[in-house]
Amino acid sequence: MSKAIGMVEYKTVSAGIAAADGMVKTSQIDIIEAQTVCPGKYIVIISGDLSAVKAAVEHGREQHGLHLTGSFVLGNPHESIFPAIYGSTNIEEIKALGILETYDAPTIIVAADRAAKTAIVDLIELRVARGMCGKSYLMLTGEIAAVEAAIEQAKLAAGEEGMYLDSSVIANPDEKIRNAIL
């Protein structure tokens, strides 16, 4: 069995908490994050074996679908996803900087996974809807060509769900910006 990550996002807190409870009762999964995010939505991010994550997310979709705003399941997520979500990445230097923003929380993780699997880049941060009125963003670094390719693929992934908002690639960010990010 492979390691997987999944997520559900609800427009109400009560549906989100009830879904999280049902998800852990349905499958042997770990909750990475379960909390209220702006603007009063509730997200549940889980991990575990692929079959368990699929079953838990499906349970959340079926039982609380009326309030569901988004979801995904990723088998074999890129290893940099977890530290980027936790805010525990260890980046020594920023070369080129890529930033991508989405309208929702689930899409940013899918986009980050696609970006990280596209080119040799380091995910700096995945801001999942906290303090963003439901929007989310990712930041990554690497050589300019790698960052451009990764952001392009992340844009395509976000666009598939209609949730792409904006992106930028900065070839050589100023030292003050680098210090502010790290």
Side-chain angles (χ1 to χ4, degrees), residues 15-45:
I17 293 172
D21 181 65
M23 291 166 74
V24 296
K25 290 176 178 173
T26 298
S27 300
Q28 187 65 34
I29 54 162
D30 295 315
I31 294 180
I32 295 174
E33 196 171 303
Q35 68 177 336
T36 305
V37 296
C38 295
K41 293 181 179 180
Y42 198 85
I43 62 170
V44 183
I45 305 173

Side-chain angles (χ1 to χ4, degrees), residues 44-61:
V44 183
I45 305 173
I46 61 171
S47 68
D49 290 331
L50 181 58
S51 59
V53 170
K54 281 183 178 179
V57 169
E58 187 57 34
H59 176 81
R61 288 178 184 149

Side-chain angles (χ1 to χ4, degrees), residues 12 25 46 88 127 129 134 145-146 148 151 182:
T12 69
K25 290 176 178 173
I46 61 171
S88 63
R127 177 70 57 96
E148 287 173 339
I151 290 295
L182 295 178

Side-chain angles (χ1 to χ4, degrees), residues 105-119:
T107 303
I108 202 65
I109 298 173
V110 173
D113 184 62
R114 174 117 31 118
K117 289 177 178 175
T118 295

Side-chain angles (χ1 to χ4, degrees), residues 1-181:
M1 301 246 185
S2 60
K3 186 76 167 174
I5 185 173
M7 180 177 183
V8 288
E9 179 184 54
Y10 295 94
K11 58 185 170 186
T12 69
V13 174
S14 61
I17 293 172
D21 181 65
M23 291 166 74
V24 296
K25 290 176 178 173
T26 298
S27 300
Q28 187 65 34
I29 54 162
D30 295 315
I31 294 180
I32 295 174
E33 196 171 303
Q35 68 177 336
T36 305
V37 296
C38 295
K41 293 181 179 180
Y42 198 85
I43 62 170
V44 183
I45 305 173
I46 61 171
S47 68
D49 290 331
L50 181 58
S51 59
V53 170
K54 281 183 178 179
V57 169
E58 187 57 34
H59 176 81
R61 288 178 184 149
E62 289 176 1
Q63 298 301 310
H64 303 282
L66 178 64
H67 299 291
L68 184 73
T69 60
S71 66
F72 72 83
V73 172
L74 288 174
N76 297 317
H78 194 273
E79 65 272 2
S80 64
I81 294 288
F82 295 100
I85 289 172
Y86 292 129
S88 63
T89 57
N90 185 21
I91 305 294
E92 295 296 322
E93 79 173 296
I94 295 179
K95 298 173 185 171
L97 177 64
I99 308 108
L100 183 124
E101 190 172 351
T102 62
Y103 285 109
D104 73 338
T107 303
I108 202 65
I109 298 173
V110 173
D113 184 62
R114 174 117 31 118
K117 289 177 178 175
T118 295
I120 299 172
V121 294
D122 293 311
L123 291 174
I124 299 169
E125 180 182 5
L126 279 175
R127 177 70 57 96
V128 183
R130 288 180 299 275
M132 302 260 315
C133 292
K135 298 186 302 181
S136 299
Y137 71 85
L138 66 81
M139 287 191 292
L140 54 81
T141 187
E143 298 297 331
I144 185 67
V147 169
E148 287 173 339
I151 290 295
E152 187 58 36
Q153 285 301 307
K155 283 170 58 174
L156 292 173
E160 290 169 4
E161 298 297 320
M163 292 294 159
Y164 171 76
L165 178 59
D166 194 18
S167 61
S168 295
V169 174
I170 304 170
N172 186 22
D174 187 270
E175 181 180 358
K176 292 175 185 174
I177 295 298
R178 292 192 304 261
N179 292 340
I181 292 169

